Amino acid sequence: MNSTTEKRIALISVHGDPAIEIGKEEAGGQNVYVRQVGEALGQLGWQVDMFTRKISAEQDTIVQHSKNCRTIRFKAGALEFVPRDNLFGYLPEFVENLLKFQKENGVTYPLFHTNYWLSSWVGMQLKKIQRSKQVHTYHSLGAVKYNTIDNIPLIATQRLAVEKEVLETADRIVATSPQEQEHMRSLVSTKGNIDIIPCGTDIRRFGSAEREAARTELGIKPEEKLVLYVGRFDPRKGIETVVRAVRESQFFESQNLKLIIGGGSTPGNSDGDERDRIEGIINELGLTEFVSLPGRLSQDVLPTYYAAADVCVVPSHYEPFGLVAIEAMASGTPVIASDVGGLQFTVVPEQTGLLAPPQDVPAFAEAIDRILSNSEWRDKLGVAGRKRVIEKFSWDGVAHQLAALYTQLLAQPIEQPIEQVVKEPALLS
Ligand code: UDP
């Protein structure tokens, strides 16, 4: 292996475009993860190409983020937004375009780091075709997700099969928390190699705003208590729980309570149904005066919101990792989160925030009241939260761990035989 191939890495994120605006429709943690990992690896001297699906003719095919890091978009199916549950049939075209791209550019990527089960299928084909290595991050596990929702999509069987196959065949699986690793072992397969490398956050960006200045900027009065939610409008995110908990809080009666729900796109988009439903609940509970829905918040303004908040609530029904929790903690704001998944790893109860059972409105209301009624303790939780993020969850630290893993895998000999055909998804055959 020569020195140029040694430090070349391809990240695949078919449905989570790392170059797109975060916070709307299906754009969330995965997009942030891929982009930040890519940029941080670029800083470490890796040549990073991030492959994703093009969703409109207006989008640039190549977006250069920094000297070593770029996003490359391929056509796979129509040039339009397609919900992730409907994307599987377009993956062979994605593989073909990737092979074509390599040929035209005279490169063969030695290692693909794939993200989400759709991309894992792409990575498995490339492993068979050209013996490339594969590292995979799930971001969400079907086996866990389908336990928390009522309407199981048609694609479920396919997804579960692909998720099992990649766990058993990838050179390494990256679990972002011990809880996720445990889910893989108990619900997916006992075979396969798993490392735990968490998600990260930008500790310079989050933590840059000062509390009083941030509150003034957002027009929050000194006596007001600010509860913040940040994230997509998706029923799994449990926004209803925080809305109802705010209504039950003892601070609601004093009329000094404010809830900001940041995230979501404009009406008419795919997340609009959940937004309408949440707005309906806000009206029904008589909360319109106390709740504001500013829509998508850019990563540039988010530090101000986190810094201004007394508490950030992450009420997800299920959360593989949950970037919002560590962004708030990095900003010195305590977190009240559901006692599930990666949130059990990031939030240390009584030290950096509190955990409550998912969908348990009284428990969330009680947790909110405990923190809002003791500002000294709130500050102490905030300081401990930032310390924890700096020690465990900075992107630089995460990128170093990933780089070490890639380097180790690239140094290992290749075992499996070459297979020259692109297999069609089983669904189509
Ligand atoms: N986000 C954002 N603007 C918004 C809402 C969310 O930039 O208005 C970002 C947020 O800062 C975080 C990501 O979207 O980085 C959400 O990641 P998380 O892991 O919390 O949830 P996911 O979307 O992956 O379910």
Side-chain angles (χ1 to χ4, degrees):
M1 193 187 306
N2 66 37
S3 60
T4 42
T5 52
E6 214 168 42
K7 291 201 94 178
R8 187 185 285 284
I9 174 87
L11 303 179
I12 304 184
S13 180
V14 174
H15 87 285
D17 184 336
I20 210 170
E21 289 176 319
I22 310 302
K24 39 167 138 168
E25 302 229 0
E26 290 190 348
Q30 181 178 326
N31 308 60
V32 173
Y33 175 93
V34 176
R35 171 74 174 269
Q36 295 291 339
V37 163
E39 296 233 32
L41 289 167
Q43 290 285 332
L44 294 179
W46 290 74
Q47 292 293 326
V48 186
D49 285 341
M50 308 187 284
F51 295 98
T52 192
R53 181 175 167 270
K54 195 168 186 172
I55 62 165
S56 93
E58 282 81 59
Q59 285 185 317
D60 291 328
T61 299
I62 297 187
V63 181
Q64 192 77 39
H65 299 293
S66 53
K67 188 170 140 263
N68 292 343
C69 174
R70 58 186 180 163
T71 292
I72 297 151
R73 297 183 171 119
F74 292 140
K75 185 180 162 302
L79 289 175
E80 62 187 22
F81 172 78
V82 175
R84 58 185 102 173
D85 283 346
N86 303 340
L87 278 175
F88 188 62
Y90 303 127
L91 297 182
E93 188 181 349
F94 196 95
V95 174
E96 273 163 31
N97 280 329
L98 217 163
L99 293 171
K100 207 166 116 206
F101 179 88
Q102 289 189 132
K103 207 167 171 195
E104 284 168 5
N105 291 277
V107 296
T108 304
Y109 297 96
L111 197 159
F112 289 92
H113 183 160
T114 56
N115 294 273
Y116 196 62
W117 74 274
L118 292 166
S119 308
S120 82
W121 186 87
V122 173
M124 286 193 283
Q125 308 319 302
L126 290 157
K127 194 170 161 64
K128 289 170 193 160
I129 296 165
Q130 62 184 36
R131 297 181 174 180
S132 36
K133 304 258 167 81
Q134 183 176 18
V135 172
H136 180 64
T137 305
Y138 282 97
H139 296 276
S140 162
L141 276 172
V144 179
K145 180 172 176 162
Y146 297 144
N147 278 334
T148 67
I149 56 173
D150 296 329
N151 297 324
I152 309 286
L154 285 175
I155 197 69
T157 317
Q158 188 68 57
R159 174 175 175 175
L160 294 173
V162 171
E163 287 186 341
K164 183 167 188 287
E165 189 182 344
V166 70
L167 175 51
E168 294 178 349
T169 63
D171 296 273
R172 201 66 52 91
I173 298 290
V174 171
T176 55
S177 66
Q179 288 74 12
E180 196 189 11
Q181 180 185 34
E182 168 51 30
H183 281 143
M184 289 171 197
R185 285 295 180 233
S186 59
L187 300 172
V188 184
S189 177
T190 51
K191 296 192 196 119
N193 304 315
I194 305 174
D195 277 8
I196 298 174
I197 301 178
C199 289
T201 196
D202 184 341
I203 54 173
R204 284 174 286 273
R205 177 189 293 279
F206 296 107
S208 59
E210 194 271 322
R211 181 179 156 82
E212 296 313 320
R215 288 174 74 91
T216 309
E217 200 179 322
L218 298 181
I220 308 294
K221 298 190 202 85
E223 68 280 10
E224 257 173 350
K225 304 284 187 192
L226 177 59
V227 177
L228 177 69
Y229 165 88
V230 175
R232 293 175 295 114
F233 275 82
D234 179 324
R236 161 173 86 79
K237 289 290 182 180
I239 305 178
E240 176 173 354
T241 308
V242 64
V243 171
R244 292 192 183 278
V246 159
R247 177 65 188 82
E248 280 195 15
S249 160
Q250 66 184 55
F251 289 90
F252 179 72
E253 296 306 329
S254 68
Q255 313 254 307
N256 269 334
L257 195 57
K258 197 169 167 55
L259 169 64
I260 296 182
I261 301 178
S265 49
T266 44
N269 280 307
S270 64
D271 56 2
D273 289 352
E274 178 64 358
R275 190 185 163 112
D276 291 348
R277 197 180 73 82
I278 295 296
E279 281 188 300
I281 297 168
I282 292 168
N283 290 337
E284 179 196 309
L285 296 177
L287 291 177
T288 27
E289 253 181 76
F290 307 98
V291 184
S292 75
L293 296 121
R296 194 186 81 82
L297 301 171
S298 74
Q299 292 274 304
D300 290 339
V301 304
L302 267 172
T304 308
Y305 280 82
Y306 286 126
D310 290 284
V311 67
C312 178
V313 179
V314 187
S316 314
H317 301 173
Y318 154 59
E319 197 62 77
F321 185 81
L323 285 176
V324 164
I326 57 170
E327 290 168 4
M329 282 160 60
S331 308
T333 301
V335 173
I336 297 172
S338 295
D339 193 4
V340 294
L343 298 168
Q344 296 171 325
F345 175 48
T346 50
V347 179
V348 184
E350 309 290 333
Q351 281 180 36
T352 71
L354 292 169
L355 294 174
Q359 304 189 65
D360 187 336
V361 173
F364 271 88
E366 193 196 323
I368 289 172
D369 286 345
R370 275 189 67 198
I371 293 180
L372 295 190
S373 58
N374 186 345
S375 46
E376 226 172 86
W377 189 48
R378 180 205 63 205
D379 291 346
K380 219 173 137 192
L381 295 170
V383 169
R386 177 152 175 87
K387 186 165 171 272
R388 179 164 172 78
V389 174
I390 290 171
E391 281 169 10
K392 284 198 163 327
F393 307 118
S394 77
W395 279 128
D396 296 344
V398 170
H400 271 104
Q401 291 179 64
L402 287 171
L405 170 62
Y406 301 154
T407 307
Q408 180 205 340
L409 291 177
L410 288 170
Q412 286 172 4
I414 293 152
E415 288 153 15
Q416 83 281 14
I418 289 189
E419 214 177 285
Q420 284 296 354
V421 284
V422 179
K423 278 195 190 152
E424 295 290 315
L427 191 77
L428 303 179
S429 58

XYZ file of all heavy atoms in Angstrom, residues 59-116:
485
model
N -28.848 21.012 -7.261
C -27.744 20.768 -6.330
C -26.428 20.570 -7.072
O -26.387 19.889 -8.099
C -28.019 19.494 -5.514
C -29.049 19.683 -4.439
C -29.168 18.421 -3.592
O -29.180 17.309 -4.124
N -29.263 18.598 -2.296
N -25.347 21.134 -6.526
C -24.028 20.914 -7.105
C -23.674 19.432 -6.965
O -24.013 18.807 -5.959
C -22.970 21.720 -6.350
C -23.139 23.213 -6.584
O -23.591 23.576 -7.691
O -22.858 23.991 -5.659
N -22.966 18.910 -7.970
C -22.554 17.513 -7.887
C -21.409 17.356 -6.891
O -21.342 16.381 -6.156
C -22.144 16.996 -9.282
O -23.291 17.117 -10.117
C -21.691 15.551 -9.260
N -20.522 18.352 -6.876
C -19.402 18.280 -5.920
C -19.374 19.554 -5.074
O -19.453 20.659 -5.602
C -18.055 18.088 -6.649
C -18.068 16.748 -7.403
C -16.881 18.152 -5.659
C -16.773 16.337 -8.034
N -19.312 19.394 -3.764
C -19.182 20.533 -2.857
C -17.867 20.365 -2.098
O -17.678 19.374 -1.396
C -20.354 20.592 -1.833
C -20.217 21.802 -0.915
C -21.699 20.592 -2.539
N -16.965 21.321 -2.284
C -15.664 21.244 -1.598
C -15.797 21.938 -0.244
O -16.094 23.118 -0.181
C -14.617 21.957 -2.475
C -13.188 21.719 -2.063
C -12.653 20.341 -2.496
O -12.941 19.864 -3.580
N -11.863 19.716 -1.618
N -15.613 21.198 0.852
C -15.788 21.813 2.186
C -14.477 22.411 2.692
O -14.468 23.440 3.333
C -16.262 20.766 3.195
C -17.579 20.165 2.818
N -18.745 20.884 2.807
C -17.909 18.914 2.408
C -19.744 20.098 2.420
N -19.257 18.905 2.160
N -13.394 21.730 2.444
C -12.080 22.215 2.862
C -11.068 21.530 1.953
O -11.457 20.740 1.081
C -11.827 21.876 4.333
O -12.035 20.490 4.535
N -9.804 21.812 2.164
C -8.777 21.316 1.236
C -8.914 19.804 0.986
O -8.891 19.356 -0.160
C -7.394 21.650 1.813
C -6.251 21.360 0.880
C -4.954 21.942 1.430
C -3.798 21.013 1.208
N -3.463 20.162 2.342
N -9.102 19.033 2.034
C -9.089 17.572 1.896
C -10.465 16.925 1.916
O -10.555 15.705 1.910
C -8.299 16.947 3.055
C -6.830 17.262 2.982
O -6.340 17.660 1.937
N -6.145 17.094 4.105
N -11.518 17.711 1.993
C -12.815 17.092 2.276
C -13.913 17.645 1.361
O -14.097 18.853 1.269
C -13.146 17.364 3.749
S -14.780 16.840 4.241
N -14.622 16.722 0.700
C -15.693 17.166 -0.202
C -16.873 16.203 -0.171
O -16.733 15.033 0.201
C -15.161 17.311 -1.628
C -14.585 16.032 -2.156
C -13.918 16.211 -3.516
N -13.387 14.924 -3.966
C -13.032 14.640 -5.206
N -13.135 15.553 -6.154
N -12.574 13.444 -5.531
N -18.039 16.740 -0.593
C -19.233 15.915 -0.759
C -19.440 15.691 -2.249
O -19.321 16.624 -3.047
C -20.466 16.639 -0.176
O -20.332 16.705 1.241
C -21.758 15.906 -0.506
N -19.777 14.441 -2.636
C -20.030 14.116 -4.040
C -21.424 13.504 -4.120
O -21.750 12.572 -3.373
C -18.961 13.141 -4.579
C -17.593 13.847 -4.530
C -19.287 12.698 -6.006
C -16.426 12.942 -4.347
N -22.242 14.055 -5.006
C -23.638 13.595 -5.090
C -23.866 12.784 -6.367
O -23.495 13.215 -7.461
C -24.585 14.803 -5.084
C -24.511 15.608 -3.787
C -25.527 16.738 -3.831
N -25.657 17.424 -2.557
C -25.400 18.717 -2.382
N -24.984 19.466 -3.385
N -25.584 19.267 -1.194
N -24.515 11.620 -6.189
C -24.848 10.774 -7.337
C -26.344 10.711 -7.532
O -27.108 10.682 -6.564
C -24.398 9.325 -7.098
C -22.922 9.143 -7.059
C -22.358 8.275 -6.135
C -22.088 9.821 -7.930
C -20.997 8.079 -6.084
C -20.716 9.633 -7.888
C -20.166 8.759 -6.957
N -26.732 10.564 -8.790
C -28.133 10.308 -9.083
C -28.438 8.846 -8.712
O -27.663 7.943 -9.028
C -28.397 10.533 -10.575
C -29.835 10.414 -10.951
C -30.000 10.641 -12.446
C -31.327 10.102 -12.924
N -31.563 8.682 -12.670
N -29.561 8.644 -8.047
C -30.042 7.279 -7.772
C -31.552 7.402 -7.714
O -32.105 7.867 -6.730
C -29.474 6.745 -6.467
N -32.209 7.042 -8.810
C -33.648 7.300 -8.905
C -33.872 8.742 -9.323
O -32.938 9.440 -9.737
N -35.128 9.190 -9.212
C -35.472 10.542 -9.665
C -34.726 11.588 -8.831
O -34.400 11.356 -7.666
C -36.971 10.746 -9.530
N -34.487 12.761 -9.451
C -33.801 13.843 -8.730
C -34.812 14.579 -7.857
O -35.232 15.700 -8.156
C -33.148 14.802 -9.725
C -31.926 14.255 -10.458
C -31.425 15.237 -11.509
C -30.802 13.919 -9.479
N -35.243 13.912 -6.822
C -36.209 14.505 -5.894
C -36.036 13.871 -4.525
O -35.419 12.808 -4.406
C -37.641 14.291 -6.397
C -37.999 12.823 -6.484
C -39.350 12.563 -7.146
O -39.831 13.427 -7.886
O -39.898 11.469 -6.899
N -36.599 14.538 -3.496
C -36.531 13.966 -2.156
C -37.365 12.692 -2.112
O -38.520 12.684 -2.543
C -37.054 14.976 -1.120
C -37.187 14.391 0.254
C -36.072 14.211 1.058
C -38.430 13.998 0.736
C -36.180 13.648 2.313
C -38.557 13.428 1.998
C -37.426 13.253 2.790
N -36.779 11.614 -1.633
C -37.513 10.353 -1.467
C -37.325 9.925 -0.003
O -36.186 9.863 0.476
C -36.943 9.248 -2.405
C -37.629 7.911 -2.149
C -37.085 9.648 -3.868
N -38.415 9.661 0.731
C -38.239 9.230 2.122
C -37.351 7.991 2.197
O -37.372 7.150 1.299
C -39.673 8.898 2.571
C -40.564 9.617 1.623
C -39.820 9.701 0.322
N -36.594 7.874 3.272
C -35.581 6.808 3.341
C -36.177 5.406 3.204
O -35.533 4.524 2.673
C -34.751 6.939 4.609
C -35.543 6.901 5.888
C -34.651 7.149 7.090
N -34.795 8.516 7.574
C -34.239 8.967 8.687
N -33.476 8.192 9.403
N -34.431 10.196 9.086
N -37.410 5.227 3.674
C -38.012 3.893 3.585
C -38.302 3.473 2.142
O -38.611 2.313 1.884
C -39.321 3.839 4.394
C -39.035 3.724 5.891
O -37.880 3.429 6.255
O -39.967 3.938 6.694
N -38.221 4.421 1.202
C -38.495 4.091 -0.208
C -37.240 4.085 -1.078
O -37.331 4.080 -2.298
C -39.498 5.099 -0.799
C -40.795 5.138 -0.014
O -41.104 4.188 0.711
N -41.548 6.208 -0.137
N -36.071 4.117 -0.461
C -34.843 4.307 -1.250
C -34.133 3.016 -1.675
O -33.293 3.048 -2.563
C -33.840 5.149 -0.453
C -34.035 6.666 -0.490
C -33.028 7.339 0.446
C -33.860 7.205 -1.903
N -34.478 1.912 -1.060
C -33.681 0.702 -1.240
C -33.517 0.294 -2.707
O -32.425 -0.061 -3.144
C -34.289 -0.445 -0.420
C -33.441 -1.672 -0.377
C -32.179 -1.648 0.191
C -33.895 -2.867 -0.913
C -31.380 -2.781 0.239
C -33.110 -4.009 -0.867
C -31.852 -3.971 -0.294
N -34.591 0.382 -3.472
C -34.557 -0.045 -4.876
C -33.619 0.783 -5.745
O -33.264 0.379 -6.852
N -33.197 1.947 -5.270
C -32.310 2.805 -6.069
C -30.830 2.568 -5.774
O -29.959 3.177 -6.384
C -32.632 4.285 -5.817
C -34.073 4.645 -6.110
C -34.861 5.287 -5.169
C -34.634 4.336 -7.350
C -36.188 5.608 -5.443
C -35.955 4.649 -7.625
C -36.720 5.279 -6.669
O -38.018 5.585 -6.940
N -30.568 1.690 -4.831
C -29.173 1.528 -4.408
C -28.246 0.933 -5.478
O -27.091 1.340 -5.574
C -29.100 0.699 -3.115
C -29.777 1.348 -1.894
C -29.613 0.468 -0.663
C -29.224 2.740 -1.620
N -28.724 -0.022 -6.317
C -27.806 -0.530 -7.354
C -27.297 0.595 -8.261
O -26.120 0.592 -8.654
C -28.669 -1.528 -8.136
C -29.696 -1.976 -7.147
C -29.982 -0.774 -6.297
N -28.156 1.571 -8.560
C -27.719 2.700 -9.399
C -26.647 3.510 -8.660
O -25.688 4.000 -9.264
C -28.937 3.592 -9.732
C -28.609 4.656 -10.753
C -29.801 5.568 -11.065
O -30.943 5.266 -10.650
O -29.565 6.603 -11.717
N -26.809 3.625 -7.353
C -25.817 4.350 -6.551
C -24.464 3.631 -6.624
O -23.420 4.256 -6.839
C -26.304 4.440 -5.097
C -25.574 5.457 -4.269
C -26.077 6.739 -4.123
C -24.386 5.132 -3.636
C -25.400 7.693 -3.360
C -23.701 6.073 -2.877
C -24.214 7.345 -2.732
N -24.496 2.297 -6.500
C -23.252 1.510 -6.574
C -22.608 1.684 -7.949
O -21.403 1.935 -8.060
C -23.533 0.008 -6.313
C -22.273 -0.829 -6.527
C -24.058 -0.208 -4.897
N -23.436 1.590 -8.989
C -22.887 1.731 -10.350
C -22.231 3.091 -10.535
O -21.151 3.203 -11.110
C -24.008 1.577 -11.382
C -24.253 0.140 -11.762
C -25.599 -0.040 -12.449
O -26.046 0.898 -13.132
O -26.193 -1.119 -12.269
N -22.881 4.133 -10.032
C -22.313 5.473 -10.180
C -21.025 5.635 -9.384
O -20.114 6.346 -9.806
C -23.342 6.531 -9.771
C -24.329 6.780 -10.906
O -23.968 6.655 -12.072
N -25.561 7.101 -10.574
N -20.961 4.969 -8.268
C -19.723 5.050 -7.476
C -18.571 4.345 -8.202
O -17.448 4.843 -8.268
C -19.965 4.422 -6.103
C -19.272 5.118 -4.938
C -19.872 4.700 -3.609
C -17.785 4.915 -4.902
N -18.896 3.190 -8.792
C -17.857 2.461 -9.538
C -17.383 3.298 -10.735
O -16.187 3.376 -11.027
C -18.402 1.113 -10.019
C -18.723 0.092 -8.903
C -19.468 -1.110 -9.479
C -17.436 -0.364 -8.207
N -18.350 3.932 -11.405
C -18.027 4.774 -12.560
C -17.139 5.948 -12.124
O -16.154 6.276 -12.778
C -19.347 5.296 -13.162
C -19.262 5.612 -14.629
C -20.648 5.784 -15.211
C -20.799 7.203 -15.682
N -22.130 7.718 -15.720
N -17.501 6.544 -11.006
C -16.745 7.687 -10.491
C -15.299 7.281 -10.212
O -14.349 7.992 -10.550
C -17.406 8.216 -9.210
C -16.685 9.373 -8.582
C -16.961 10.680 -8.958
C -15.706 9.156 -7.612
C -16.280 11.753 -8.391
C -15.015 10.222 -7.041
C -15.310 11.512 -7.419
N -15.141 6.122 -9.601
C -13.783 5.645 -9.300
C -12.993 5.468 -10.584
O -11.852 5.890 -10.681
C -13.836 4.306 -8.559
C -14.339 4.377 -7.140
C -14.144 3.051 -6.409
O -13.652 3.005 -5.316
N -14.520 1.967 -7.019
N -13.639 4.853 -11.582
C -12.958 4.577 -12.845
C -12.531 5.885 -13.522
O -11.382 6.039 -13.930
C -13.912 3.803 -13.765
C -13.215 2.931 -14.749
C -14.191 1.973 -15.381
C -13.508 1.260 -16.527
N -14.454 0.603 -17.390
N -13.472 6.816 -13.577
C -13.190 8.096 -14.248
C -12.096 8.887 -13.543
O -11.383 9.658 -14.166
C -14.465 8.939 -14.313
C -15.428 8.446 -15.381
C -16.813 9.078 -15.281
O -17.010 9.984 -14.431
O -17.680 8.672 -16.042
N -12.002 8.700 -12.231
C -11.034 9.486 -11.468
C -9.771 8.703 -11.100
O -8.903 9.213 -10.387
C -11.686 10.039 -10.193
C -12.713 11.110 -10.526
O -12.356 12.270 -10.721
N -13.968 10.716 -10.646
N -9.719 7.479 -11.577
C -8.510 6.664 -11.348
C -8.242 6.370 -9.886
O -7.085 6.323 -9.453
N -9.311 6.202 -9.105
C -9.102 5.854 -7.688
C -9.883 4.594 -7.339
O -10.919 4.308 -7.950
C -9.575 6.964 -6.708
C -8.792 8.232 -6.861
C -11.061 7.221 -6.818
N -9.380 3.862 -6.396
C -10.140 2.761 -5.800
C -10.052 2.969 -4.295
O -8.959 2.892 -3.722
C -9.532 1.395 -6.171
O -9.466 1.316 -7.595
C -10.388 0.252 -5.652
N -11.185 3.291 -3.706
C -11.147 3.543 -2.256
C -10.879 2.235 -1.522
O -11.588 1.251 -1.738
C -12.477 4.145 -1.773
C -12.751 5.497 -2.391
C -13.553 5.612 -3.519
C -12.187 6.646 -1.852
C -13.794 6.833 -4.102
C -12.417 7.883 -2.423
C -13.220 7.967 -3.546
O -13.448 9.185 -4.127
N -9.886 2.245 -0.638
C -9.577 0.987 0.070
C -10.528 0.724 1.233
O -10.623 -0.396 1.720
C -8.154 1.222 0.598
C -8.035 2.712 0.725
C -8.916 3.315 -0.319
N -11.238 1.783 1.674
C -12.093 1.611 2.852
C -13.313 2.515 2.740
O -13.194 3.702 2.438
C -11.286 1.977 4.103
C -11.818 1.511 5.461
C -10.675 1.488 6.479
C -12.932 2.356 6.011
N -14.480 1.935 2.974
C -15.718 2.718 3.007
C -16.271 2.706 4.421
O -16.433 1.634 5.017
C -16.767 2.124 2.057
C -16.440 2.322 0.606
C -15.727 1.359 -0.101
C -16.830 3.484 -0.060
C -15.415 1.547 -1.438
C -16.513 3.680 -1.389
C -15.807 2.710 -2.079
N -16.558 3.898 4.922
C -17.255 3.985 6.214
C -18.705 4.321 5.878
O -19.005 5.414 5.390
C -16.620 5.076 7.089
C -17.243 5.182 8.456
N -16.617 5.769 9.514
C -18.451 4.778 8.945
C -17.395 5.721 10.593
N -18.516 5.135 10.259
N -19.601 3.352 6.093
C -20.989 3.519 5.671
C -21.867 3.932 6.858
O -21.568 3.609 8.012
C -21.512 2.211 5.037
O -21.344 1.126 5.964
C -20.743 1.881 3.766
N -22.939 4.668 6.543
C -23.801 5.232 7.577
C -25.259 4.917 7.304
O -25.777 5.274 6.248
C -23.598 6.751 7.621
C -22.202 7.108 8.068
O -21.939 7.214 9.264
N -21.286 7.224 7.108
N -25.921 4.245 8.271
C -27.327 3.828 8.177
C -27.407 2.591 7.293
O -26.568 2.351 6.438
C -28.190 4.969 7.631
C -29.682 4.810 7.847
C -30.221 4.753 9.131
C -30.553 4.738 6.764
C -31.595 4.621 9.325
C -31.929 4.617 6.949
C -32.442 4.555 8.235
O -33.792 4.426 8.416
